[in-house]
């Protein structure tokens, strides 16, 4: 085989592999649920924690996302420890091909992808993994990540896009959404520990808030 | 009647706003009534005020992956697995979580075609009934459901033969401020009629509102909201003629060769088995999208395109409302929460200068809850935290409900591609707003901005008006089996009975001929009570 033909064959195989990987193998893996993570590794969790603390950092008036329990909220959501519609055994039997468990387990591939993308971006820009960067460089990476390629995909309206095909900004928005949920939801969900988030915004007239509420509207004369 | 019976006098599909009243009335009259409900009873516990569970995860019903609706606009797919059009999966349906705004339609609302004439691209028609026909049933609904408010304040309000309203809910500082601003503009604010008990009501079983503020979007733990599972079904059960089967998913209506409905096949969601219940009279109250889906699934030799669909009108003229909303920040902090109590109808009708004919209802909004508020703000980091901390208590909202004109091609069909776990085709919604809808919404936005400014609001934010329901829309589903006198242009007659199926009645929003500019629930309930009388009369006359 001549050198030209050899290079041509190599280029052709490369194109074939790339196209096949993106348009055949990834969707097939998604459909067959091959290789889906059961949870985040400690390294991935560290990276996500750093991102959560960029989204909601500690300030003079409020705790960071991590301090308020957002990571705890996420872990519980990934493990299915959430309130949610529970299918009857009959529905499970009928819909066994479908994702019908409550919680955010189906978002684990997205979070794995988030950790990967942050490392890719920081590797490209600074030559180091995300969690080893200093705070200023981390902020730059998160800004870049949040401004990623625009894609008009929302996870509520059109359904969660495949993690491998999701744009950086839609992945960022997913984590932002979940971070705000964990921060401001009732403590029973794992975040807003001891109502710290509610107290930071003075949302203390909630019926389930356990402390003094006599200044609230329903007590106005 | 025991749980093993498979035949009943009256079978009602759907236990929501309009399923309850007719079931109750007919059970009281001595008929055996069975209600089939896909969902279950709502527990009134501490999760009732849990924002994450109620608003964001909607814990009582499955995701759109399990029970999907496809949404299309101008041929493009907007959503593939939406929850729009899903059943609420609750006994009491939408009334468990609704805001409770309970209007009587205005007299002219029944005659839009006569008042404004035809509009290009819209299928305007007059209702086959008038306000006079429905008025006694509005009074009945207000009494049986439990509505609070003040009669005669609203300048557009029609006459009422009886005033059965409970006193209005106590105003709070935000509502007082908004009313003062409206008066300053020369407008005429009034107390909204609300399905919220302001006092103990031994007739309905409702209890006085605790002013906890967790109303719109949340079940009421205190039994103050007039949810049908609280104010209707306990009384229906006492008749001894009533049975409500939960986790029963109706999938097909069976018919005989004469065209009469004979019963319903349904999947028992506990066992997975398909069961059948026969009936003499069939009432459907499953809301526009699910009602249409059930009828389209019920094909036969006589009805090859779906039950009662010989004129290809079933599913057409689907209407929502556009829900316009403005938020603004104020120089005061409000701990009052999720309740709207004031209405303004100075702009309900269009003027001669307006280039639209849509009716519109301005209603005071409420504060957003913490997660929703934080999600509505842009950005992240310390800036977002500061924004939420500084503005959460200071931000309030004003809303405007805008009429959606009926259009022939706004419709519900069965999806060719999307199915539920049992392989049953999902509903597919096609909807695009009419140009007049968007003009009316833009004009509404200007009015609520004007009010917001008069009230002292700053940093006023108004989401843009979209072409379709991917933007703001209400949960009001109407049309798809419209009432009319002519069987060629309508599905139901003036008694909400199908023209071509003599024992089939539809009492949910499907029956609406036009959407008007008002929350539809009380009208659905009045129609439901009226239809109960029609059923009793038809049985007495030997028609059924």
């Amino acid at each position: 085989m001549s050198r030209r033909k050899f290079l041509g064959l190599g280029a052709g195989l490369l194109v074939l592999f790339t196209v096949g990987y993106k348009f055949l193998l990834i969707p097939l893996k998604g459909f067959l649920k091959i290789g889906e993570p059961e949870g985040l590794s400690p390294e991935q969790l560290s990276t996500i924690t750093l991102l959560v603390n960029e989204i909601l950092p500690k300030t003079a008036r409020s705790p960071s996302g991590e301090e308020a329990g957002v990571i705890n909220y996420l872990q519980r959501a990934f493990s299915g420890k959430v309130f949610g519609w529970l299918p009857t055994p009959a529905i499970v039997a009928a819909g066994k091909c479908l994702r019908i468990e409550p919680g955010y387990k189906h978002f684990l591939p997205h979070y794995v992808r988030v950790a990967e993308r942050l490392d890719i971006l920081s590797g490209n820009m600074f030559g180091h993994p995300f969690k080893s960067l200093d705070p200023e460089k981390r902020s730059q990476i998160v800004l870049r990540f949040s401004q990623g390629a625009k894609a008009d995909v929302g996870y509520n309206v059109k359904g969660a896009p495949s993690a491998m095909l999701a744009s950086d900004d839609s992945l960022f928005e997913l984590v932002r959404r979940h971070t705000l949920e964990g921060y401001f939801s009732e403590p029973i969900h794992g975040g807003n520990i001891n109502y710290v988030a509610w107290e930071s915004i003075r949302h203390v007239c909630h019926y389930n808030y356990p402390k003094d509420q006599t200044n609230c509207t329903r007590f106005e004369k | 009647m025991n749980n093993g019976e498979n035949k009943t006098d009256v079978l009602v599909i759907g236990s929501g706003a309009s399923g309850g009243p007719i079931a109750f009335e007919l059970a009281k009259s001595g008929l055996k009534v069975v209600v089939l409900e896909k969902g279950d009873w709502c527990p009134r516990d501490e999760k009732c005020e849990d924002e994450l569970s109620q608003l964001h995860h909607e814990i009582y019903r499955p995701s759109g992956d399990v029970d999907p609706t496809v949404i299309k606009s101008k041929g493009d797919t907007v959503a593939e697995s939406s929850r729009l059009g899903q059943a609420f999966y609750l006994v009491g349906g939408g009334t468990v979580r609704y805001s409770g705004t309970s209007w009587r339609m205005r007299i002219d609302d029944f005659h839009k075609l006569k008042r404004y004439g035809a509009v290009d691209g819209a299928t305007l028609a007059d209702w086959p009934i008038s306000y006079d026909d429905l008025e006694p049933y509005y009074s009945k609904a207000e009494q049986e459901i439990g509505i609070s408010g003040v009669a005669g304040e609203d300048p557009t309000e029609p006459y009422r033969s009886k005033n059965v309203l409970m006193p209005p809910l106590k105003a709070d500082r935000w509502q007082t401020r908004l009313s003062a601003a409206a008066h300053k503009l020369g407008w005429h604010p009034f107390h909204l009629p609300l399905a919220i008990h302001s006092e103990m009501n031994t007739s309905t079983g409702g209890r006085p509102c605790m002013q906890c503020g967790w109303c719109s979007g949340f079940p009421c733990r205190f039994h103050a909201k007039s949810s049908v599972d609280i104010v209707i079904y306990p009384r229906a059960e006492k008749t001894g003629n009533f049975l409500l089967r939960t986790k029963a998913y109706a999938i097909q209506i069976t018919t005989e060769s004469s065209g009469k409905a004979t019963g319903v096949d349904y999947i028992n969601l506990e066992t997975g088995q398909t069961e059948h219940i026969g009936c003499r009279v069939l009432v459907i109250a499953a809301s526009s999208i699910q009602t249409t889906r059930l009828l389209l699934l019920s094909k036969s030799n006589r009805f090859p395109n779906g039950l009662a669909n010989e004129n290809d009108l079933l599913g057409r003229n689907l209407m929502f409302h556009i829900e316009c909303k403005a938020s603004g920040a104020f120089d005061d902090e409000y701990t009052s929460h999720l309740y709207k109590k004031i209405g303004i109808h100075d702009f309900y009708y269009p003027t001669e200068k307006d280039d639209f004919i849509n009716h519109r209802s301005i209603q005071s909004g409420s504060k957003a809850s913490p997660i929703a508020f934080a999600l509505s703000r842009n950005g992240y980091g310390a800036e977002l935290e500061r924004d939420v901390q500084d503005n959460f208590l200071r931000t309030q909202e004003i809303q405007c409900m805008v009429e959606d004109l009926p259009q022939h091609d706004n419709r519900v069909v069965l999806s060719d591609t999307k199915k539920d776990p049992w392989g049953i085709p999902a509903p597919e919604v096609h909807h695009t707003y009419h140009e007049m809808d968007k003009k009316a919404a833009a004009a509404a936005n200007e009015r609520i901005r004007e009010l917001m400014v008069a009230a002292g609001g700053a940093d006023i934010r108004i989401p843009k008006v979209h072409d379709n329901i991917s933007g703001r829309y209400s949960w009001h589903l109407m049309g798809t089996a419209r009432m009319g006198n002519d069987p060629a242009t309508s599905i139901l007659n003036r008694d909400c009975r199908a023209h071509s199926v003599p024992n089939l009645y539809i009492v949910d929003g499907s029956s609406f001929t036009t959407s008007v500019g008002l929350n539809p629930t009380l009208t659905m309930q009045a129609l439901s009570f009226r239809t109960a009388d029609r059923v009793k009369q038809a049985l007495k006359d030997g028609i059924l």
Side-chain angles (χ1 to χ4, degrees):
Chain A
M1 187 186 284
S2 70
R3 192 173 170 211
R4 185 183 275 183
K5 275 189 188 166
F6 179 79
L7 287 173
L9 183 65
L13 284 172
L14 186 64
V15 168
L16 202 64
F17 175 77
T18 308
V19 169
Y21 183 77
K22 185 167 181 186
F23 293 107
L24 290 175
L25 190 59
I26 294 172
L28 190 63
K29 276 173 71 173
F31 177 72
L32 295 174
K33 298 188 200 177
I34 293 172
E36 285 196 350
E38 291 297 314
L40 294 177
S41 70
E43 293 75 26
Q44 289 162 343
L45 196 60
S46 299
T47 301
I48 297 298
T49 302
L50 289 169
L51 176 59
V52 162
N53 287 337
E54 285 286 327
I55 293 171
L56 289 177
K58 183 177 179 66
T59 69
R61 287 154 74 180
S62 51
S64 68
E66 183 187 4
E67 286 169 342
V70 169
I71 302 304
N72 189 34
Y73 166 76
L74 287 174
Q75 296 279 60
R76 287 174 59 87
F78 292 149
S79 66
K81 285 182 189 150
V82 294
F83 299 133
W85 180 84
L86 289 174
T88 62
I91 295 172
V92 172
K96 55 185 180 289
C97 321
L98 298 177
R99 280 185 222 283
I100 48 176
E101 49 297 290
Y104 287 167
K105 190 174 176 188
H106 56 290
F107 285 124
L108 273 172
H110 298 74
Y111 276 81
V112 169
R113 184 71 180 145
V114 167
E116 272 175 15
R117 285 296 301 155
L118 288 172
D119 278 342
I120 288 169
L121 286 173
S122 55
N124 288 346
M125 215 161 145
F126 299 113
H128 293 286
F130 181 73
K131 67 179 184 191
S132 68
L133 298 178
D134 62 49
E136 194 189 318
K137 290 193 169 99
R138 271 207 301 270
S139 295
Q140 288 181 47
I141 295 297
V142 170
L143 178 63
R144 182 117 183 262
F145 184 58
S146 73
Q147 292 171 339
K150 274 295 165 197
D152 186 22
V153 199
Y155 82 97
N156 262 342
V157 175
K158 287 189 179 177
S162 157
M164 292 302 288
L165 299 177
S167 62
D168 282 353
D169 66 324
S170 66
L171 288 170
F172 175 80
E173 185 52 38
L174 184 75
V175 180
R176 191 187 95 111
R177 169 179 275 272
H178 292 171
T179 299
L180 293 173
E181 285 177 4
Y183 200 80
F184 287 117
S185 56
E186 296 239 3
I188 196 168
H189 297 291
N192 189 20
I193 294 171
N194 293 326
Y195 300 93
V196 289
W198 284 5
E199 284 168 359
S200 76
I201 59 172
R202 285 166 295 132
H203 176 57
V204 295
C205 291
H206 190 289
Y207 202 82
N208 293 336
Y209 181 71
K211 301 172 195 173
D212 180 29
Q213 296 179 31
T214 49
N215 288 331
C216 301
T217 301
R218 61 180 169 278
F219 299 107
E220 283 173 6
K221 298 288 174 227
Chain B
M1 175 165 44
N2 63 48
N3 286 343
E5 278 195 11
N6 63 353
K7 191 168 168 68
T8 186
D9 293 324
V10 180
L11 180 60
V12 180
I13 310 297
S15 70
S18 49
I22 192 168
F24 176 40
E25 277 302 291
L26 295 179
K28 269 198 302 187
S29 73
L31 293 165
K32 302 290 186 204
V33 178
V34 173
V35 174
L36 295 185
E37 165 55 50
K38 203 170 179 179
D40 208 346
W41 294 89
C42 175
R44 294 310 204 274
D45 57 19
E46 67 285 347
K47 290 197 279 296
C48 290
E49 299 97 27
D50 178 354
E51 179 195 356
L52 184 71
S53 294
Q54 298 295 337
L55 297 190
H56 304 282
H57 291 172
E58 296 200 64
I59 57 171
Y60 305 119
R61 52 188 189 157
S63 72
D65 286 331
V66 176
D67 188 357
T69 300
V70 180
I71 304 175
K72 290 191 173 182
S73 179
K74 295 180 183 168
D76 294 329
T77 299
V78 171
E80 282 189 350
S81 300
S82 172
R83 271 170 155 164
L84 170 76
Q86 224 185 35
F88 275 93
Y89 280 77
L90 287 171
V91 174
T95 66
V96 176
R97 296 177 54 211
Y98 76 152
S99 68
T101 320
S102 295
W103 304 100
R104 296 180 175 223
M105 275 167 63
R106 322 287 92 165
I107 292 174
D108 279 346
D109 282 334
F110 290 87
H111 311 296
K112 258 189 113 68
L113 182 61
K114 183 176 165 189
R115 180 173 172 141
Y116 298 107
V119 169
D120 271 345
T123 45
L124 281 184
D126 290 336
W127 290 55
I129 56 173
S130 66
Y131 178 76
D132 294 341
D133 294 319
L134 204 52
E135 196 282 326
Y137 298 98
Y138 274 125
S139 296
K140 185 170 178 70
E142 285 167 347
Q143 185 150 33
E144 296 288 359
I145 300 296
I147 308 294
S148 62
V150 178
E153 269 189 331
D154 175 356
T156 66
E157 188 183 292
Y159 74 87
R160 55 176 72 225
S161 55
K162 276 201 292 185
N163 182 3
V164 294
L165 298 178
M166 290 181 282
L169 296 180
K170 193 176 81 171
D172 54 47
R173 283 184 300 113
W174 163 240
Q175 312 290 342
T176 304
R177 179 174 190 155
L178 197 65
S179 291
H183 280 301
K184 205 165 74 178
L185 289 171
W187 300 356
H188 303 84
F190 55 87
H191 291 86
L192 282 178
L194 296 170
I196 308 273
H197 286 68
S198 53
E199 57 191 14
M200 188 71 82
N201 188 324
T202 51
S203 172
T204 63
R207 298 182 206 151
C209 174
M210 298 282 287
Q211 306 265 22
C212 75
W214 294 89
C215 305
S216 189
F218 297 78
C220 176
R221 203 192 330 181
F222 307 106
H223 292 204
K225 190 188 296 192
S226 307
S227 305
V228 167
D229 60 325
I230 298 295
V231 300
I232 293 288
Y233 290 129
R235 291 189 283 159
E237 280 171 352
K238 284 182 184 158
T239 64
N241 299 319
F242 174 82
L243 178 68
L244 197 154
R245 288 190 187 167
T246 57
K247 298 188 181 174
Y249 171 21
I251 57 172
Q252 178 149 30
I253 300 166
T254 55
T255 53
E256 58 186 32
S257 55
S258 68
K260 270 177 120 174
T262 54
V264 167
D265 292 335
Y266 66 96
I267 296 175
N268 181 327
L269 294 177
E270 291 279 27
T271 64
Q273 299 300 311
T274 302
E275 298 177 9
H276 177 83
I277 180 162
C279 63
R280 226 168 126 194
V281 177
L282 178 62
V283 179
I284 309 185
S287 94
S288 293
I289 292 174
Q290 293 296 328
T291 287
T292 302
R293 182 188 184 209
L294 179 60
L295 292 169
L296 289 172
L297 289 169
S298 305
K299 293 179 179 161
S300 61
N301 289 336
R302 188 175 164 123
F303 297 105
N305 298 315
L307 190 60
N309 192 26
E310 62 279 10
N311 53 15
D312 190 35
L313 280 178
L314 180 67
R316 294 192 184 272
N317 304 303
L318 172 67
M319 298 170 285
F320 297 84
H321 283 127
I322 302 180
E323 194 180 88
C324 296
K325 194 180 268 199
S327 68
F330 291 83
D331 57 3
D332 197 357
E333 292 183 344
Y334 297 95
T335 57
S336 66
H337 211 74
L338 296 162
Y339 223 72
K340 48 179 178 172
K341 295 177 186 167
I342 301 290
I344 294 165
H345 278 173
D346 294 76
F347 312 101
Y348 184 72
Y349 297 108
T351 66
E352 281 174 11
K353 292 183 205 164
D354 288 322
D355 52 359
F356 54 83
I357 61 161
N358 311 59
H359 294 175
R360 298 162 299 157
S361 173
I362 295 176
Q363 300 168 19
S364 63
S366 52
K367 282 171 53 52
S369 36
I371 300 172
F373 184 77
L375 285 172
S376 73
R377 309 308 263 194
N378 295 325
Y380 64 94
E383 207 176 295
L384 172 65
E385 288 194 51
R386 201 164 35 245
D387 183 12
V388 176
Q389 284 155 10
D390 290 347
N391 292 305
F392 173 69
L393 287 183
R394 298 169 54 229
T395 301
Q396 287 281 7
E397 294 178 349
I398 301 173
Q399 299 172 354
C400 186
M401 198 75 57
V402 177
E403 182 177 7
D404 177 12
L405 299 183
Q407 297 179 72
H408 186 69
D409 290 334
N410 282 352
R411 62 187 304 202
V412 179
V413 297
L414 295 177
S415 173
D416 288 330
T417 49
K418 208 77 179 168
K419 298 187 193 313
D420 72 7
W422 287 270
I424 296 170
E428 184 174 289
V429 167
H430 295 242
H431 189 276
T432 304
Y433 287 122
H434 192 280
E435 282 309 307
M436 270 196 186
D437 298 342
K438 292 188 280 185
K439 286 177 182 167
N445 282 339
E446 287 313 304
R447 289 296 183 191
I448 56 181
R449 180 190 295 275
E450 193 180 347
L451 181 60
M452 192 62 90
V453 169
D459 188 22
I460 296 170
R461 302 180 187 204
I462 302 181
K464 72 169 195 172
V465 179
H466 288 255
D467 277 340
N468 57 60
I469 52 178
S470 65
R472 285 212 67 83
Y473 65 89
S474 70
W475 279 97
H476 308 151
L477 306 176
M478 296 162 284
T480 74
R482 67 173 13 176
M483 280 198 278
N485 288 322
D486 182 357
T489 56
S490 57
I491 300 287
L492 306 175
N493 68 12
R494 67 198 311 277
D495 293 340
C496 290
R497 189 174 74 194
H499 287 296
S500 56
V501 185
N503 64 340
L504 172 66
Y505 293 82
I506 300 176
V507 295
D508 56 37
S510 310
S511 62
F512 279 40
T513 309
T514 51
S515 71
V516 310
L518 301 168
N519 311 58
T521 306
L522 189 73
T523 299
M524 284 159 48
Q525 290 168 326
L527 284 169
S528 182
F529 279 117
R530 180 173 184 271
T531 304
D533 273 359
R534 295 296 170 276
V535 169
K536 284 188 266 181
Q537 189 63 47
L539 285 166
K540 195 171 160 195
D541 294 343
I543 296 170
L544 293 174

